[in-house]
Amino acid sequence: MTIDDAPRDALRGGPRELLRWVATGAAVSRADLSRLSGLSPSTVSQRVEALINQGLLEETGAGRSRGGRRPRQLAVPTGGAVVGAIDLGAHHARVGALDLSGRVVRARTLPVRIEDGPESVLGTLLAEVATLVGSDSAAGDSVPGALRGVGIGIPGPVQHATGRIVSPSRMPGWNGFDVAAFCAGRVDVPVIVDNDANLMALGAHRTAHPELDHAIYIKAGTGIGSGVISSGRLHRGAQGSAGDISHCRVVADPAPPCTCGNAGCLEAVASGAALVTALREQGVPVSDLTGVIRLIDDGDRQATALARQAGRAVGEILAVVVNFFNPQVVAIGGRLADCEPLLASMRATLYERCLPLATQTLLIERVAAGQDVGITGAAHLVIDHVVAPA
C-alpha cells in the first residue's frame, strides 16, 4: 500500500495534512496542529521541524499568549513561485507558477496544436513554465525560491506510475509517449503527470470541499472525463484509469461511432465534439464548441435539444456511479458546465435514476474554481510529492 492508497484516518496528522492546515489558515501554531491532529505536542514539533528544514514551513514570529509562553507562529513560505503547472488541452494550455500553499502567483493561457506532437508541445510549455517561475511579471526581477517540481495534466489516459500516455483518442502521435521521462530530461526536478480530469478533481476538491471524503468531479468540454476523490484522496485505480467515463456505453445500435472504435460511447454522444458533429449533420453551420455554446445561450432549438440529450446521457452514467460509490458531491466543470440545459437535464436524471439514500444529501453543483482549477490540482500533486514522496 502506498501513501496515496492509505486510508485517510491513517494519515491524519501526516506531513501533508499539517502543511495543508497551515496553508489554509486552519492552524497558525504547533498547538493548533496538535489540537487538530490529536497528536502529542512532541510528535507535532518533530514533524514541523522536518517541514521547516525542507523549506516547506517557516516561523513568522510570536502569537498571542494564552497564559504561558507566546507560541511561535507558522506559515507556508509565499515569497516566490516554486511549483510549475501545466494543464494541457486540445487547443489551449493553461500554464502557471504557484507557491507552496497552492496559490497561483502567475498564469498564462497559450494556444497549442495537440497534433504538433509531444516534443514540440511540451518543449514550448516547459519553456513557458521556466519563464513564469523565474521572473516577476510586474518588475522583471528574480523571484526567491527554487523550482520544486512540475505537474502536468494530459487530456488522455495516463499511466500515472510511469507518466506514459496510453491509447489517447484525440492526440495523434502521443500514444506510448513517456511524458515524465521527456520532461525530466529538461528540468532537474520531479515531474508528475496525470490525466487532466484527475487534476481538475484534485484542484476543485482542495479549493471547495477539502472537508468531504467522497466526491466525483466531471470535466465536460471537447471530451468528457471524471476524477474520483475517495477517503479524501485522489483515487486512480490499479493502472490510473479510474473515473474514465468517456467510453461507457449509453446508446444501443445504431449509434454514433466513437474515436475508440466502438459506438454509442458517452464521448460520442455528449461531449462538446459530439455536439458540434450532431449540429453539422442537422445543417447548422457551427465550427467549434464556442459556437455551440453561443447557440444554446441564444435559445437555438436544435442546440438546446442536443444539450438536454447530452445531459441525460451524462446523468445516466453518473447515476450508476453515484449508486455504486455514494459520493457526497457531484460537480461538473469544463466549458459545458455553464450550459444550463445540460446541467438541468443531468441533475433531473440523477434524481430519477439514483436511490433516494444516495441523493438524500448529495450536492450537485458546478466546479467554482475557475480556469486555474487544473493548474491548482497539478501544483497540489507536486506539493504532496515534495512533502511525503510515495
Side-chain angles (χ1 to χ4, degrees), residues 68 108 135 226 228 235 304 315:
R108 189 173 300 162
S135 66
S226 74
V228 180
H235 176 70
T304 300

Side-chain angles (χ1 to χ4, degrees), residues 295-309 341-342:
L295 287 172
I296 295 170
D297 289 342
D298 289 341
D300 180 85
R301 177 179 57 83
Q302 291 167 288
T304 300
L306 285 172
R308 288 183 176 136
Q309 291 173 18
L342 185 149

Side-chain angles (χ1 to χ4, degrees), residues 49 62 126 155 205 210 226 289 328:
E49 289 301 323
L126 286 173
H205 193 71
S226 74
L289 182 53
Q328 294 156 297

